[in-house]
Amino acid sequence: MTAKYLEIHPENPEYKKISQVVNCLEKGGIIAYPTDSVYNFGCSINNKRAIEKLAKLKGLKLKKANFSIVCCDLKSIDEYTQSFSRSVFKLLNKNLPGAFTFILNASNKIPKLFETNKKEIGIRIPDNTIALDIIRELGIPIVTTSIHHEDEIVEYITDPELIFQKFEHQVDMIIDGGIGNNEASTVVDCTSNDPEIIRQGIGELVY
């Protein structure tokens, strides 16, 4: 298997190309795609086998994988999270779309998806037109994880051509949406009443 390499315009994504990506995801494919932070791997949330493949790609057992979910808007996350306070909603609403991963209390769907007792889930709505167009067209969120070298010091691969060289036989499609950032998203724990930044990344939180 050799991955399909697909160039997509970062500001005006071509509908036919977005449809090709969606078709790949619907068939259980793994994609490499741009976000507003680093390039990510992703697969359909409705395909258990694809989620297992994603874990294997990261060298992890599914129940040990710390994947996030990428949605296109706040309404899309309801199914996968427990209800949260108005103050948390305001925080999400002020900062999304943006380069953040918000950790929220998970609904009972999450343990089934990841074969774990996981009670929390990371939610992303990236400020990236390609990523959002893919998810809107797919109609459901995607499960995601960042792409980086397996070194002690995390080094993200920002060039889609280098991603292709490294992963062309491990994924189904690699999207070239331009050079990515080399800094990951800011992670904010919103599982209690007081949101806490647990990793400062590229996103600057607005309260």
Side-chain angles (χ1 to χ4, degrees):
M1 175 187 82
T2 301
K4 182 178 178 64
Y5 189 86
L6 193 64
E7 290 184 42
I8 299 181
H9 195 285
E11 293 170 13
N12 297 294
E14 302 88 339
Y15 177 75
K16 284 186 178 179
K17 291 182 178 180
I18 294 294
S19 295
Q20 287 180 52
V21 181
V22 169
N23 186 50
C24 175
L25 290 167
E26 287 176 338
K27 289 180 176 177
I30 305 288
I31 65 168
Y33 70 100
T35 72
D36 51 358
S37 56
V38 298
Y39 267 79
N40 276 213
F41 293 126
C43 69
S44 168
I45 199 168
N46 278 2
N47 194 306
K48 187 65 172 288
R49 191 173 175 189
I51 298 172
E52 289 169 350
K53 278 166 58 181
L54 192 61
K56 189 176 180 182
L57 178 59
K58 296 289 281 190
L60 299 166
K61 291 188 176 178
L62 181 55
K63 63 183 179 181
K64 297 283 187 184
N66 197 23
F67 294 149
S68 295
I69 291 174
V70 184
C71 305
C72 62
D73 54 41
L74 285 176
K75 288 180 183 176
S76 309
I77 74 175
D78 287 350
E79 199 175 338
Y80 306 98
T81 63
Q82 294 180 24
S83 59
F84 43 84
S85 69
R86 184 164 178 76
S87 61
V88 169
F89 175 80
K90 283 182 177 179
L91 187 69
L92 269 60
N93 202 39
K94 277 185 181 178
N95 291 279
L96 295 174
F100 299 93
T101 301
F102 285 100
I103 309 297
L104 297 168
N105 291 309
S107 72
N108 58 13
K109 276 202 162 191
I110 296 303
K112 292 173 188 173
L113 276 174
F114 298 109
E115 298 175 355
T116 179
N117 294 324
K118 195 173 183 178
K119 295 185 170 121
E120 301 166 351
I121 186 66
I123 299 291
R124 286 221 61 200
I125 304 177
D127 189 11
N128 180 279
T129 306
I130 293 173
L132 293 178
D133 278 8
I134 290 167
I135 297 156
R136 284 193 197 100
E137 188 64 22
L138 182 64
I140 52 174
I142 61 177
V143 177
T144 197
T145 182
S146 59
I147 300 174
H148 60 81
H149 290 292
E150 304 303 322
D151 300 326
E152 283 187 26
I153 300 171
V154 173
E155 182 186 343
Y156 295 99
I157 309 174
T158 61
D159 187 336
E161 291 186 6
L162 295 179
I163 293 171
F164 181 78
Q165 288 174 24
K166 186 171 176 65
F167 297 106
E168 62 177 307
H169 300 301
Q170 298 176 64
V171 301
D172 300 277
M173 182 176 283
I174 291 163
I175 298 163
D176 180 347
I179 299 296
N181 286 303
N182 62 359
E183 192 174 359
S185 63
T186 294
V187 180
V188 186
D189 186 344
C190 293
T191 57
S192 66
N193 290 331
D194 298 310
E196 179 186 359
I197 294 174
I198 57 175
R199 181 185 73 193
Q200 182 62 56
I202 194 171
E204 293 294 335
L205 195 65
V206 177
Y207 290 94

